[in-house]
């Protein structure tokens, strides 16, 4: 935290200014449950996440879904 702006870690935490890694912190914009996190990930609208990182995270969800849809369509076609 910025030690000149906040005298203790408690006041910095209340002001959402505590970062435990480079660029990673605790914020009020974080989603409270897993369903909201998954919907935000699938619609590419995670809060405070750069679009490229959001897209990279979403590919790990969309990739298997596209493969399963392709496999179902491929197996349902006769003589292919």
């Amino acid at each position: 935290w910025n030690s000149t702006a906040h005298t203790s870690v408690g006041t910095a935490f209340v002001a959402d200014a505590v970062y435990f890694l480079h660029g990673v912190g605790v914020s009020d914009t974080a989603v409270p449950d897993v369903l909201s996190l998954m919907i935000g990930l699938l619609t590419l609208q995670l809060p405070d996440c750069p679009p490229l990182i959001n897209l990279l995270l979403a590919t790990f969800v969309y990739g298997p879904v596209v493969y399963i849809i392709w496999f179902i369509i491929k197996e349902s076609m006769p003589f292919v």
Side-chain angles (χ1 to χ4, degrees), residues 30-43 45-47 54:
V31 292
D33 58 330
V34 175
L35 184 61
S36 296
L37 179 66
M38 287 302 293
I39 290 172
L41 180 65
L42 291 175
T43 58
Q45 295 177 354
L46 288 178
N54 202 356

Side-chain angles (χ1 to χ4, degrees), residues 28 46 59:
D28 289 337
L46 288 178
T59 56

